[in-house]
Protein backbone atom coordinates (compact mmCIF):
# COMPACT_ATOMS: atom_id res chain seq x y z
CA UNK A 1 0.00 0.00 0.00
CA UNK A 2 1.60 3.27 -1.04
CA UNK A 3 3.58 1.98 -4.08
CA UNK A 4 2.34 1.83 -7.63
CA UNK A 5 2.14 -1.26 -9.80
CA UNK A 6 2.37 -0.97 -13.60
CA UNK A 7 -0.35 -2.63 -15.70
CA UNK A 8 0.60 -5.96 -17.32
CA UNK A 9 1.44 -6.07 -21.03
CA UNK A 10 4.28 -5.45 -23.47
CA UNK A 11 4.45 -1.74 -22.61
CA UNK A 12 5.15 -2.42 -18.92
CA UNK A 13 8.10 -0.40 -17.61
CA UNK A 14 11.01 -2.32 -16.06
CA UNK A 15 10.48 -0.48 -12.83
CA UNK A 16 8.15 2.01 -11.34
CA UNK A 17 9.81 4.69 -9.26
CA UNK A 18 7.82 6.82 -6.95
CA UNK A 19 8.72 10.03 -5.30
CA UNK A 20 7.18 11.67 -2.33
CA UNK A 21 5.48 14.94 -2.93
CA UNK A 22 5.28 17.68 -0.41
CA UNK A 23 3.27 16.72 2.61
CA UNK A 24 -0.27 17.91 2.16
CA UNK A 25 -2.83 18.59 4.86
CA UNK A 26 -6.13 16.69 4.46
CA UNK A 27 -9.07 17.41 6.74
CA UNK A 28 -11.79 14.78 7.10
CA UNK A 29 -15.15 15.88 8.46
CA UNK A 30 -17.62 13.26 7.20
CA UNK A 31 -17.37 9.66 8.36
CA UNK A 32 -14.84 10.34 11.12
CA UNK A 33 -17.12 12.86 12.80
CA UNK A 34 -20.03 10.51 12.71
CA UNK A 35 -17.99 7.76 14.29
CA UNK A 36 -16.56 9.89 17.10
CA UNK A 37 -19.71 11.76 18.07
CA UNK A 38 -21.20 8.56 19.43
CA UNK A 39 -18.30 8.13 21.88
CA UNK A 40 -19.20 9.05 25.47
CA UNK A 41 -16.20 11.37 26.02
CA UNK A 42 -17.02 13.85 23.26
CA UNK A 43 -20.27 15.03 24.84
CA UNK A 44 -22.25 15.00 21.61
CA UNK A 45 -20.03 17.63 20.02
CA UNK A 46 -18.81 17.44 16.42
CA UNK A 47 -15.15 16.44 16.17
CA UNK A 48 -12.79 17.30 13.27
CA UNK A 49 -9.66 15.21 12.83
CA UNK A 50 -6.64 16.94 11.30
CA UNK A 51 -4.81 14.16 9.47
CA UNK A 52 -1.56 14.48 7.47
CA UNK A 53 -0.86 11.88 4.77
CA UNK A 54 1.58 11.56 1.85
CA UNK A 55 0.61 11.90 -1.78
CA UNK A 56 2.72 9.76 -4.13
CA UNK A 57 3.41 10.20 -7.85
CA UNK A 58 4.62 7.70 -10.50
CA UNK A 59 7.21 8.88 -13.03
CA UNK A 60 6.38 6.16 -15.60
CA UNK A 61 4.42 7.76 -18.45
CA UNK A 62 2.59 4.50 -19.35
CA UNK A 63 1.43 3.88 -15.78
CA UNK A 64 -2.35 4.09 -15.36
CA UNK A 65 -2.01 5.28 -11.78
CA UNK A 66 -0.17 8.58 -11.98
CA UNK A 67 -0.90 9.72 -8.45
CA UNK A 68 -2.29 8.20 -5.32
CA UNK A 69 -2.46 8.85 -1.59
CA UNK A 70 -1.43 6.50 1.17
CA UNK A 71 -4.24 5.08 3.30
CA UNK A 72 -4.53 4.65 7.06
CA UNK A 73 -5.64 1.12 7.85
CA UNK A 74 -9.03 1.07 9.55
CA UNK A 75 -9.53 4.79 9.04
CA UNK A 76 -9.63 5.51 5.31
CA UNK A 77 -10.15 3.66 2.02
CA UNK A 78 -9.62 4.59 -1.62
CA UNK A 79 -12.54 6.49 -3.13
CA UNK A 80 -14.37 6.07 0.17
CA UNK A 81 -16.62 8.81 1.49
CA UNK A 82 -17.02 7.09 4.86
CA UNK A 83 -14.68 5.34 7.23
CA UNK A 84 -14.84 1.56 7.46
CA UNK A 85 -16.31 1.80 10.96
CA UNK A 86 -19.10 4.09 9.80
CA UNK A 87 -19.70 1.86 6.76
CA UNK A 88 -20.09 -1.16 9.03
CA UNK A 89 -22.45 0.79 11.29
CA UNK A 90 -24.65 1.79 8.36
CA UNK A 91 -24.75 -1.81 7.12
CA UNK A 92 -26.00 -2.96 10.50
CA UNK A 93 -28.66 -0.22 10.51
CA UNK A 94 -29.71 -1.06 6.96
CA UNK A 95 -30.09 -4.78 7.72
CA UNK A 96 -32.08 -4.08 10.87
CA UNK A 97 -34.37 -1.30 9.65
CA UNK A 98 -33.96 -1.04 5.85
CA UNK A 99 -34.73 2.31 4.18
CA UNK A 100 -36.64 5.14 5.83
CA UNK A 101 -36.48 3.80 9.38
CA UNK A 102 -32.72 3.33 8.99
CA UNK A 103 -32.38 6.89 7.75
CA UNK A 104 -34.17 8.20 10.84
CA UNK A 105 -31.89 6.22 13.17
CA UNK A 106 -28.77 7.35 11.29
CA UNK A 107 -29.92 10.95 11.67
CA UNK A 108 -30.09 10.47 15.43
CA UNK A 109 -26.47 9.29 15.22
CA UNK A 110 -25.51 12.54 13.42
CA UNK A 111 -25.04 10.83 10.06
CA UNK A 112 -26.95 11.99 7.01
CA UNK A 113 -27.68 9.13 4.64
CA UNK A 114 -30.52 8.45 2.20
CA UNK A 115 -32.75 5.39 2.18
CA UNK A 116 -31.47 4.42 -1.28
CA UNK A 117 -27.91 4.41 0.01
CA UNK A 118 -28.88 2.07 2.84
CA UNK A 119 -30.63 -0.29 0.43
CA UNK A 120 -27.58 -0.23 -1.85
CA UNK A 121 -25.41 -1.19 1.11
CA UNK A 122 -27.62 -4.23 1.68
CA UNK A 123 -27.56 -5.30 -1.96
CA UNK A 124 -23.74 -4.94 -2.10
CA UNK A 125 -23.24 -7.42 0.74
CA UNK A 126 -22.09 -10.88 -0.32
CA UNK A 127 -24.55 -13.70 0.19
CA UNK A 128 -23.71 -16.40 2.71
CA UNK A 129 -22.60 -19.74 1.36
CA UNK A 130 -25.50 -22.16 0.92
CA UNK A 131 -24.87 -25.64 2.26
CA UNK A 132 -27.24 -28.57 2.36
CA UNK A 133 -28.32 -29.21 5.97
CA UNK A 134 -28.99 -32.62 7.41
CA UNK A 135 -32.49 -31.52 8.54
CA UNK A 136 -34.23 -29.31 5.97
CA UNK A 137 -37.35 -27.30 6.74
CA UNK A 138 -39.55 -26.21 3.81
CA UNK A 139 -42.54 -23.90 3.85
CA UNK A 140 -44.15 -21.23 1.70
CA UNK A 141 -44.61 -17.52 2.40
CA UNK A 142 -46.63 -14.89 0.60
CA UNK A 143 -45.05 -11.93 -1.13
CA UNK A 144 -48.51 -10.93 -2.41
CA UNK A 145 -51.06 -12.93 -0.52
CA UNK A 146 -53.33 -14.97 -2.74
CA UNK A 147 -51.24 -14.29 -5.86
CA UNK A 148 -47.48 -14.64 -5.40
CA UNK A 149 -45.74 -17.05 -3.05
CA UNK A 150 -42.16 -18.02 -2.34
CA UNK A 151 -40.41 -20.80 -0.43
CA UNK A 152 -38.19 -20.50 2.61
CA UNK A 153 -35.63 -23.19 3.42
CA UNK A 154 -34.12 -23.45 6.90
CA UNK A 155 -31.68 -25.62 8.77
CA UNK A 156 -33.80 -27.70 11.11
CA UNK A 157 -30.99 -28.02 13.64
CA UNK A 158 -29.77 -24.42 13.88
CA UNK A 159 -33.16 -22.91 12.91
CA UNK A 160 -31.40 -20.48 10.57
CA UNK A 161 -32.69 -19.68 7.06
CA UNK A 162 -30.37 -20.93 4.34
CA UNK A 163 -32.15 -19.88 1.14
CA UNK A 164 -35.28 -18.34 -0.35
CA UNK A 165 -36.86 -19.56 -3.59
CA UNK A 166 -38.95 -17.25 -5.81
CA UNK A 167 -41.96 -19.61 -6.03
CA UNK A 168 -43.41 -22.76 -4.48
CA UNK A 169 -43.30 -25.06 -7.47
CA UNK A 170 -42.15 -28.66 -7.23
CA UNK A 171 -39.58 -28.22 -9.99
CA UNK A 172 -37.92 -25.28 -8.23
CA UNK A 173 -37.51 -27.26 -5.02
CA UNK A 174 -36.31 -30.31 -6.96
CA UNK A 175 -33.65 -28.21 -8.70
CA UNK A 176 -32.42 -26.81 -5.39
CA UNK A 177 -32.23 -30.30 -3.87
CA UNK A 178 -30.31 -31.54 -6.91
CA UNK A 179 -27.74 -28.75 -6.48
CA UNK A 180 -27.48 -29.30 -2.71
CA UNK A 181 -27.62 -33.03 -2.02
CA UNK A 182 -27.11 -34.65 1.35
CA UNK A 183 -30.33 -33.92 3.23
CA UNK A 184 -31.59 -36.74 5.43
CA UNK A 185 -34.90 -35.34 6.72
CA UNK A 186 -37.29 -32.89 5.01
CA UNK A 187 -39.91 -31.24 7.23
CA UNK A 188 -42.84 -29.90 5.21
CA UNK A 189 -46.53 -29.13 5.42
CA UNK A 190 -49.36 -31.18 3.88
CA UNK A 191 -49.00 -29.61 0.41
CA UNK A 192 -48.39 -32.15 -2.33
CA UNK A 193 -46.11 -29.73 -4.24
CA UNK A 194 -43.22 -30.01 -1.81
CA UNK A 195 -43.80 -33.74 -1.48
CA UNK A 196 -43.41 -34.21 -5.23
CA UNK A 197 -40.31 -32.02 -5.41
CA UNK A 198 -38.63 -33.83 -2.53
CA UNK A 199 -39.57 -37.22 -3.91
CA UNK A 200 -38.09 -36.36 -7.32
CA UNK A 201 -34.58 -35.26 -6.24
CA UNK A 202 -34.21 -36.61 -2.69
CA UNK A 203 -35.92 -40.01 -2.73
CA UNK A 204 -33.82 -41.31 0.17
CA UNK A 205 -34.71 -38.42 2.49
CA UNK A 206 -37.37 -38.97 5.14
CA UNK A 207 -40.33 -36.64 4.62
CA UNK A 208 -41.92 -35.46 7.87
CA UNK A 209 -45.43 -33.98 7.75
CA UNK A 210 -46.01 -31.21 10.26
CA UNK A 211 -48.08 -32.16 13.30
CA UNK A 212 -49.75 -28.76 13.65
CA UNK A 213 -51.18 -29.01 10.14
CA UNK A 214 -52.49 -32.50 10.94
CA UNK A 215 -54.29 -31.22 14.01
CA UNK A 216 -55.62 -28.20 12.13
CA UNK A 217 -56.96 -30.38 9.31
CA UNK A 218 -58.64 -32.64 11.85
CA UNK A 219 -60.25 -29.61 13.51
CA UNK A 220 -61.69 -28.55 10.15
CA UNK A 221 -63.12 -32.03 9.58
CA UNK A 222 -64.62 -32.07 13.08
CA UNK A 223 -66.33 -28.71 12.59
CA UNK A 224 -67.81 -29.85 9.27
CA UNK A 225 -69.11 -32.99 10.99
CA UNK A 226 -70.71 -30.93 13.76
CA UNK A 227 -72.39 -28.72 11.14
CA UNK A 228 -73.78 -31.83 9.43
CA UNK A 229 -75.33 -32.89 12.78
CA UNK A 230 -76.50 -29.46 13.87
CA UNK A 231 -79.99 -30.68 14.94
CA UNK A 232 -78.32 -32.68 17.70
CA UNK A 233 -77.15 -29.45 19.31
CA UNK A 234 -80.72 -28.56 20.35
CA UNK A 235 -81.65 -29.70 23.82
CA UNK A 236 -84.60 -32.08 24.28
CA UNK A 237 -86.47 -31.92 27.58
CA UNK A 238 -90.11 -32.11 28.76
CA UNK A 239 -90.67 -28.48 27.79
CA UNK A 240 -89.55 -29.06 24.20
CA UNK A 241 -93.13 -29.02 22.93
CA UNK A 242 -93.83 -25.73 24.69
CA UNK A 243 -90.73 -24.20 23.23
CA UNK A 244 -91.65 -25.45 19.78
CA UNK A 245 -95.03 -23.77 20.15
CA UNK A 246 -93.46 -20.59 21.45
CA UNK A 247 -91.64 -19.84 18.24
CA UNK A 248 -91.90 -20.90 14.63
CA UNK A 249 -89.46 -23.61 13.51
CA UNK A 250 -86.35 -22.35 11.78
CA UNK A 251 -87.42 -24.08 8.56
CA UNK A 252 -90.70 -22.08 8.38
CA UNK A 253 -91.23 -18.57 7.14
CA UNK A 254 -92.63 -16.51 10.04
CA UNK A 255 -94.52 -14.27 7.61
CA UNK A 256 -96.42 -16.96 5.71
CA UNK A 257 -96.14 -19.98 7.99
CA UNK A 258 -94.98 -22.08 5.05
CA UNK A 259 -91.66 -23.73 4.38
CA UNK A 260 -88.79 -21.45 3.43
CA UNK A 261 -88.06 -21.43 -0.29
CA UNK A 262 -84.39 -22.26 0.24
CA UNK A 263 -85.35 -25.42 2.17
CA UNK A 264 -87.78 -26.42 -0.59
CA UNK A 265 -85.18 -25.84 -3.27
CA UNK A 266 -82.57 -27.87 -1.36
CA UNK A 267 -84.97 -30.80 -0.96
CA UNK A 268 -85.93 -30.75 -4.65
CA UNK A 269 -82.29 -30.64 -5.76
CA UNK A 270 -81.37 -33.48 -3.45
CA UNK A 271 -84.15 -35.72 -4.76
CA UNK A 272 -83.29 -34.89 -8.40
CA UNK A 273 -79.59 -35.64 -7.89
CA UNK A 274 -80.30 -38.91 -6.09
CA UNK A 275 -82.74 -39.96 -8.83
CA UNK A 276 -80.19 -39.38 -11.60
CA UNK A 277 -77.45 -40.95 -9.53
CA UNK A 278 -79.53 -44.13 -9.19
CA UNK A 279 -79.74 -44.29 -13.00
CA UNK A 280 -75.95 -44.40 -13.24
CA UNK A 281 -75.29 -40.78 -14.22
CA UNK A 282 -71.93 -39.25 -13.43
CA UNK A 283 -71.51 -36.18 -11.23
CA UNK A 284 -70.51 -34.02 -14.21
CA UNK A 285 -73.52 -35.15 -16.24
CA UNK A 286 -75.85 -34.49 -13.30
CA UNK A 287 -74.42 -31.00 -12.89
CA UNK A 288 -74.94 -30.21 -16.60
CA UNK A 289 -78.48 -31.60 -16.53
CA UNK A 290 -79.61 -29.68 -13.44
CA UNK A 291 -77.51 -26.56 -14.01
CA UNK A 292 -75.38 -27.09 -10.91
CA UNK A 293 -71.68 -26.68 -10.37
CA UNK A 294 -69.81 -29.96 -10.23
CA UNK A 295 -68.85 -29.62 -6.56
CA UNK A 296 -72.44 -28.71 -5.66
CA UNK A 297 -73.80 -31.77 -7.45
CA UNK A 298 -71.17 -33.88 -5.71
CA UNK A 299 -72.22 -32.52 -2.33
CA UNK A 300 -75.83 -33.52 -2.96
CA UNK A 301 -74.72 -36.92 -4.23
CA UNK A 302 -72.58 -37.67 -1.16
CA UNK A 303 -75.13 -36.46 1.36
CA UNK A 304 -76.69 -39.25 3.42
CA UNK A 305 -78.79 -37.09 5.74
CA UNK A 306 -81.34 -34.87 4.03
CA UNK A 307 -82.33 -33.20 7.29
CA UNK A 308 -78.72 -32.25 7.95
CA UNK A 309 -78.44 -30.88 4.43
CA UNK A 310 -81.52 -28.69 4.77
CA UNK A 311 -80.38 -27.58 8.19
CA UNK A 312 -77.20 -26.16 6.62
CA UNK A 313 -79.35 -23.72 4.68
CA UNK A 314 -80.60 -22.18 7.93
CA UNK A 315 -78.42 -19.21 8.63
CA UNK A 316 -77.84 -17.77 12.06
CA UNK A 317 -79.07 -14.19 12.51
CA UNK A 318 -77.87 -11.22 14.49
CA UNK A 319 -81.00 -11.50 16.63
CA UNK A 320 -80.14 -14.95 18.05
CA UNK A 321 -78.14 -13.60 21.00
CA UNK A 322 -81.03 -11.34 22.03
CA UNK A 323 -83.89 -13.82 21.83
CA UNK A 324 -83.71 -14.87 25.53
CA UNK A 325 -84.03 -11.20 26.53
CA UNK A 326 -87.00 -10.72 24.19
CA UNK A 327 -88.73 -13.76 25.73
CA UNK A 328 -88.07 -12.44 29.22
CA UNK A 329 -89.49 -9.00 28.40
CA UNK A 330 -92.46 -10.65 26.64
CA UNK A 331 -93.28 -12.61 29.80
CA UNK A 332 -92.95 -9.37 31.79
CA UNK A 333 -95.79 -7.96 29.70
CA UNK A 334 -93.90 -5.85 27.16
CA UNK A 335 -95.29 -6.78 23.71
CA UNK A 336 -94.42 -3.61 21.80
CA UNK A 337 -91.94 -4.64 19.07
CA UNK A 338 -90.69 -1.07 18.56
CA UNK A 339 -89.95 -0.65 22.27
CA UNK A 340 -88.21 -4.01 22.49
CA UNK A 341 -86.18 -3.09 19.42
CA UNK A 342 -84.96 0.09 21.11
CA UNK A 343 -84.05 -1.86 24.24
CA UNK A 344 -81.93 -4.44 22.43
CA UNK A 345 -80.37 -1.67 20.35
CA UNK A 346 -79.16 -0.18 23.63
CA UNK A 347 -77.70 -3.61 24.45
CA UNK A 348 -75.68 -3.70 21.23
CA UNK A 349 -78.05 -5.16 18.62
CA UNK A 350 -76.68 -3.99 15.23
CA UNK A 351 -80.00 -4.03 13.36
CA UNK A 352 -81.39 -0.75 12.06
CA UNK A 353 -85.10 -1.57 11.75
CA UNK A 354 -87.51 -3.46 14.06
CA UNK A 355 -88.71 -5.80 11.30
CA UNK A 356 -86.70 -8.80 12.55
CA UNK A 357 -88.10 -8.28 16.06
CA UNK A 358 -91.67 -8.13 14.70
CA UNK A 359 -91.21 -11.36 12.73
CA UNK A 360 -89.84 -13.12 15.79
CA UNK A 361 -92.67 -11.92 18.05
CA UNK A 362 -95.52 -12.66 15.61
CA UNK A 363 -95.85 -16.39 16.52
CA UNK A 364 -95.75 -15.54 20.25
CA UNK A 365 -98.97 -13.53 20.01
CA UNK A 366 -100.94 -16.75 19.48
CA UNK A 367 -99.51 -18.42 22.61
CA UNK A 368 -101.48 -18.16 25.85
CA UNK A 369 -99.58 -17.70 29.08
CA UNK A 370 -95.88 -17.20 29.66
CA UNK A 371 -93.46 -18.46 27.06
CA UNK A 372 -90.50 -20.56 28.24
CA UNK A 373 -87.23 -19.00 27.19
CA UNK A 374 -85.45 -21.15 24.61
CA UNK A 375 -82.13 -22.50 25.85
CA UNK A 376 -79.12 -21.07 24.02
CA UNK A 377 -77.99 -23.36 21.23
CA UNK A 378 -74.17 -23.54 20.98
CA UNK A 379 -72.65 -22.64 17.67
CA UNK A 380 -71.08 -25.54 15.68
CA UNK A 381 -67.60 -24.03 15.88
CA UNK A 382 -67.97 -23.79 19.67
CA UNK A 383 -68.93 -27.45 19.95
CA UNK A 384 -66.04 -28.40 17.67
CA UNK A 385 -63.75 -26.40 19.96
CA UNK A 386 -65.03 -28.36 22.97
CA UNK A 387 -64.35 -31.64 21.19
CA UNK A 388 -60.81 -30.61 20.20
CA UNK A 389 -59.81 -29.26 23.61
CA UNK A 390 -58.17 -31.33 26.32
CA UNK A 391 -60.85 -32.60 28.76
CA UNK A 392 -58.97 -31.14 31.73
CA UNK A 393 -59.20 -27.65 30.21
CA UNK A 394 -62.98 -27.63 29.81
CA UNK A 395 -65.11 -25.71 32.28
CA UNK A 396 -67.75 -27.63 34.21
CA UNK A 397 -70.67 -26.21 32.19
CA UNK A 398 -68.88 -26.85 28.88
CA UNK A 399 -68.14 -30.44 29.85
CA UNK A 400 -71.75 -30.96 30.91
CA UNK A 401 -73.19 -29.55 27.68
CA UNK A 402 -70.74 -31.58 25.60
CA UNK A 403 -71.78 -34.77 27.38
CA UNK A 404 -75.46 -33.98 26.70
CA UNK A 405 -74.73 -33.41 23.01
CA UNK A 406 -72.78 -36.67 22.69
CA UNK A 407 -75.58 -38.52 24.47
CA UNK A 408 -78.06 -37.26 21.86
CA UNK A 409 -75.80 -37.88 18.85
CA UNK A 410 -73.86 -41.17 18.49
CA UNK A 411 -71.93 -39.76 15.51
CA UNK A 412 -70.51 -36.84 17.51
CA UNK A 413 -69.73 -39.24 20.35
CA UNK A 414 -67.71 -41.32 17.87
CA UNK A 415 -65.98 -38.16 16.61
CA UNK A 416 -65.02 -37.26 20.18
CA UNK A 417 -63.58 -40.74 20.70
CA UNK A 418 -61.53 -40.57 17.51
CA UNK A 419 -60.22 -37.09 18.36
CA UNK A 420 -59.01 -38.30 21.77
CA UNK A 421 -57.25 -41.25 20.17
CA UNK A 422 -55.60 -39.03 17.55
CA UNK A 423 -54.49 -36.52 20.21
CA UNK A 424 -52.88 -39.28 22.25
CA UNK A 425 -51.13 -40.60 19.15
CA UNK A 426 -49.88 -37.09 18.26
CA UNK A 427 -48.70 -36.06 21.74
CA UNK A 428 -46.97 -39.34 22.52
CA UNK A 429 -45.46 -39.74 19.01
CA UNK A 430 -47.16 -43.08 18.44
CA UNK A 431 -47.16 -43.01 14.66
CA UNK A 432 -47.25 -46.80 14.45
CA UNK A 433 -50.94 -46.63 15.45
CA UNK A 434 -51.94 -44.53 12.43
CA UNK A 435 -53.24 -47.47 10.35
CA UNK A 436 -55.34 -48.70 13.27
CA UNK A 437 -56.82 -45.21 13.73
CA UNK A 438 -57.69 -44.91 10.03
CA UNK A 439 -59.45 -48.30 10.08
CA UNK A 440 -61.43 -47.29 13.18
CA UNK A 441 -62.61 -44.09 11.49
CA UNK A 442 -63.69 -45.93 8.36
CA UNK A 443 -65.77 -48.32 10.47
CA UNK A 444 -68.07 -45.47 11.61
CA UNK A 445 -70.65 -43.51 9.61
CA UNK A 446 -68.64 -40.28 9.41
CA UNK A 447 -68.28 -39.18 5.74
CA UNK A 448 -66.22 -36.06 6.51
CA UNK A 449 -63.74 -37.96 8.66
CA UNK A 450 -63.60 -40.59 5.92
CA UNK A 451 -62.19 -37.95 3.57
CA UNK A 452 -59.67 -36.87 6.20
CA UNK A 453 -58.61 -40.48 6.77
CA UNK A 454 -58.25 -41.01 3.01
CA UNK A 455 -55.89 -38.03 2.80
CA UNK A 456 -53.85 -39.46 5.66
CA UNK A 457 -53.65 -42.79 3.88
CA UNK A 458 -52.40 -41.17 0.66
CA UNK A 459 -49.53 -39.49 2.53
CA UNK A 460 -49.12 -42.21 5.13
CA UNK A 461 -45.30 -42.45 5.17
CA UNK A 462 -44.75 -38.74 5.79
CA UNK A 463 -47.54 -38.59 8.38
CA UNK A 464 -46.23 -41.66 10.19
CA UNK A 465 -42.81 -40.00 10.31
CA UNK A 466 -44.42 -36.78 11.58
CA UNK A 467 -46.12 -38.72 14.37
CA UNK A 468 -42.88 -40.53 15.21
CA UNK A 469 -39.94 -38.15 14.62
CA UNK A 470 -39.12 -35.27 16.94
CA UNK A 471 -38.58 -32.93 13.98
CA UNK A 472 -41.37 -30.60 12.88
CA UNK A 473 -42.05 -27.46 10.85
CA UNK A 474 -42.25 -25.26 13.94
CA UNK A 475 -38.93 -23.46 13.31
CA UNK A 476 -39.92 -22.96 9.67
CA UNK A 477 -43.22 -21.36 10.70
CA UNK A 478 -41.24 -19.06 12.98
CA UNK A 479 -39.12 -17.92 10.04
CA UNK A 480 -42.29 -17.33 8.01
CA UNK A 481 -43.54 -15.02 10.76
CA UNK A 482 -40.21 -13.18 10.71
CA UNK A 483 -40.52 -12.74 6.94
CA UNK A 484 -43.96 -11.22 7.48
CA UNK A 485 -42.43 -8.75 9.95
CA UNK A 486 -39.70 -7.77 7.50
CA UNK A 487 -42.28 -7.29 4.73
CA UNK A 488 -44.43 -5.03 6.90
CA UNK A 489 -41.34 -3.10 7.98
CA UNK A 490 -40.73 -2.27 4.30
CA UNK A 491 -44.44 -1.56 3.71
CA UNK A 492 -44.76 -4.64 1.50
CA UNK A 493 -42.84 -2.96 -1.34
CA UNK A 494 -39.56 -4.84 -1.12
CA UNK A 495 -38.59 -6.93 -4.13
CA UNK A 496 -37.64 -10.54 -3.79
CA UNK A 497 -33.88 -9.83 -4.05
CA UNK A 498 -33.91 -7.27 -1.20
CA UNK A 499 -36.17 -9.44 0.95
CA UNK A 500 -33.90 -12.42 0.40
CA UNK A 501 -30.83 -10.43 1.45
CA UNK A 502 -32.41 -9.28 4.68
CA UNK A 503 -33.75 -12.73 5.58
CA UNK A 504 -30.43 -14.48 4.99
CA UNK A 505 -28.11 -11.83 6.50
CA UNK A 506 -30.04 -11.00 9.69
Amino acid sequence: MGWCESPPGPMRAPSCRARTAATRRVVSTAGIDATLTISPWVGGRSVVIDLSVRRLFCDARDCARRTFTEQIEGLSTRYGRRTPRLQDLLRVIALALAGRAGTRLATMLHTTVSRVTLLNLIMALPEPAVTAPRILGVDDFATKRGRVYGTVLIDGESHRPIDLLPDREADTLATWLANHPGGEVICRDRASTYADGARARAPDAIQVADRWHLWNNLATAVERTVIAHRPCLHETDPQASARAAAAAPAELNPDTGGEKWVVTRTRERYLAVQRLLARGWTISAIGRELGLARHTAGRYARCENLHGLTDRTIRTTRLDDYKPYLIQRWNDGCTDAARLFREIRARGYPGRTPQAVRRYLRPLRTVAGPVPAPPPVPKPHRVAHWIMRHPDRLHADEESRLKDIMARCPQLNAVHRHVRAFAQMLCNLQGENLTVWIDAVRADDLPVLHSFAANLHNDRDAITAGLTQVWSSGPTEGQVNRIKMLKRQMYGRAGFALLRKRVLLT
Side-chain angles (χ1 to χ4, degrees):
M1 185 174 184
W3 293 99
C4 177
E5 294 182 0
S6 300
M11 298 299 294
R12 180 176 179 179
S15 63
C16 183
R17 295 178 295 103
R19 61 181 176 85
T20 304
T23 302
R24 307 212 178 173
R25 185 169 297 275
V26 179
V27 178
S28 175
T29 58
I32 304 301
D33 292 347
T35 304
L36 292 179
T37 51
I38 63 174
S39 301
W41 55 82
V42 296
R45 296 175 179 266
S46 178
V47 176
V48 178
I49 295 181
D50 191 1
L51 178 65
S52 297
V53 296
R54 295 181 302 170
R55 184 178 181 184
L56 306 178
F57 295 86
C58 181
D59 293 336
R61 295 183 177 275
D62 56 348
C63 181
R65 299 170 63 181
R66 301 298 302 274
T67 180
F68 53 93
T69 305
E70 65 177 350
Q71 305 297 324
I72 307 301
E73 184 177 359
L75 188 61
S76 63
T77 57
R78 296 186 183 278
Y79 306 105
R81 304 185 64 180
R82 302 177 185 88
T83 63
R85 289 186 60 188
L86 178 60
Q87 196 81 343
D88 294 340
L89 176 64
L90 293 179
R91 288 194 187 99
V92 173
I93 293 176
L95 287 175
L97 300 176
R100 288 185 173 88
T103 300
R104 291 192 293 268
L105 178 59
T107 302
M108 297 298 297
L109 299 177
H110 306 283
T111 300
T112 303
V113 62
S114 68
R115 60 182 179 86
V116 177
T117 300
L118 293 179
L119 297 182
N120 290 337
L121 290 176
I122 298 177
M123 298 304 297
L125 290 173
E127 295 184 359
V130 179
T131 58
R134 189 174 68 90
I135 311 298
L136 178 65
V138 183
D139 203 354
D140 59 350
F141 66 93
T143 54
K144 292 183 179 180
R145 189 170 184 178
R147 292 182 290 175
V148 183
Y149 288 86
T151 300
V152 57
L153 307 176
I154 76 159
D155 187 342
E157 295 178 307
S158 65
H159 301 175
R160 293 286 302 173
I162 57 178
D163 206 349
L164 261 66
L165 305 181
D167 55 47
R168 55 176 179 179
E169 301 297 330
D171 295 338
T172 305
L173 177 61
T175 303
W176 191 93
L177 292 174
N179 296 331
H180 305 84
E184 300 178 6
V185 178
I186 299 177
C187 301
R188 59 172 178 82
D189 56 14
R190 297 292 311 284
S192 59
T193 302
Y194 294 140
D196 296 338
R199 196 178 300 113
R201 293 297 183 178
D204 297 333
I206 300 175
Q207 297 189 31
V208 177
D210 185 52
R211 290 185 288 274
W212 182 88
H213 288 91
L214 294 175
W215 187 252
N216 184 61
N217 294 340
L218 178 61
T220 302
V222 169
E223 183 173 355
R224 291 177 56 192
T225 303
V226 174
I227 292 175
H229 297 84
R230 188 182 298 173
C232 299
L233 306 184
H234 297 265
E235 295 184 6
T236 56
D237 53 23
Q239 295 181 348
S241 58
R243 291 180 182 137
E251 293 83 1
L252 299 183
N253 190 326
D255 295 328
T256 62
E259 188 177 61
K260 289 185 176 181
W261 68 270
V262 65
V263 178
T264 304
R265 185 190 65 180
T266 301
R267 180 178 292 104
E268 293 176 352
R269 286 181 174 179
Y270 173 78
L271 295 177
V273 170
Q274 294 296 329
R275 183 169 57 253
L276 296 178
L277 193 65
R279 297 179 184 177
W281 287 42
T282 64
I283 300 298
S284 300
I286 293 175
R288 290 192 295 270
E289 177 68 18
L290 300 180
L292 302 176
R294 189 180 185 280
H295 71 275
T296 304
R299 180 164 58 90
Y300 283 108
R302 292 187 301 268
C303 179
E304 301 177 0
N305 184 2
L306 177 60
H307 182 71
L309 186 64
T310 56
D311 187 71
R312 293 185 190 182
T313 62
I314 308 303
R315 299 291 185 264
T316 57
T317 65
R318 296 178 294 182
L319 191 64
D320 291 345
D321 296 335
Y322 304 92
K323 289 180 179 179
Y325 177 79
L326 294 176
I327 295 297
Q328 177 186 351
R329 295 289 291 130
W330 179 273
N331 293 332
D332 293 342
C334 181
T335 60
D336 185 2
R339 179 179 177 181
L340 293 176
F341 168 73
R342 290 192 295 270
E343 292 180 3
I344 62 175
R345 280 275 294 179
R347 289 175 169 264
Y349 175 63
R352 297 184 178 181
T353 63
Q355 297 302 325
V357 178
R358 290 196 180 96
R359 286 195 298 267
Y360 179 71
L361 297 179
R362 186 175 295 117
L364 304 183
R365 302 186 186 280
T366 61
V367 179
V371 178
V377 179
K379 299 294 190 295
H381 73 274
R382 177 60 59 183
V383 177
H385 181 66
W386 294 343
I387 294 176
M388 298 297 296
R389 284 178 64 183
H390 194 281
D392 296 340
R393 297 183 180 179
L394 289 174
H395 299 294
D397 57 335
E398 296 174 342
E399 185 177 1
S400 175
R401 298 181 69 180
L402 180 59
K403 288 182 178 179
D404 293 340
I405 292 173
M406 291 189 298
R408 294 193 297 267
C409 185
Q411 289 81 5
L412 294 184
N413 188 21
V415 169
H416 183 264
R417 184 176 65 254
H418 294 313
V419 168
R420 298 274 73 81
F422 192 89
Q424 183 178 4
M425 180 172 54
L426 185 144
C427 294
N428 299 332
L429 298 181
Q430 299 173 346
E432 63 275 5
N433 299 332
L434 178 62
T435 303
V436 178
W437 187 87
I438 292 176
D439 295 338
V441 170
R442 289 174 174 174
D444 292 328
D445 184 19
L446 301 170
V448 180
L449 281 188
H450 288 177
S451 301
F452 175 72
N455 291 332
L456 296 185
H457 180 75
N458 296 335
D459 199 15
R460 183 173 52 186
D461 294 339
I463 294 174
T464 302
L467 297 176
T468 306
Q469 301 281 341
V470 296
W471 309 107
S472 70
S473 297
T476 315
E477 295 290 346
Q479 291 295 333
V480 171
N481 287 334
R482 191 170 74 92
I483 292 174
K484 293 179 181 178
M485 183 271 294
L486 295 176
K487 285 173 46 188
R488 294 188 181 104
Q489 194 180 66
M490 295 182 286
Y491 302 95
R493 295 188 296 177
F496 177 78
L498 177 60
L499 182 63
R500 183 172 181 270
K501 287 275 190 177
R502 292 197 64 195
V503 171
L504 298 182
L505 296 174
T506 57

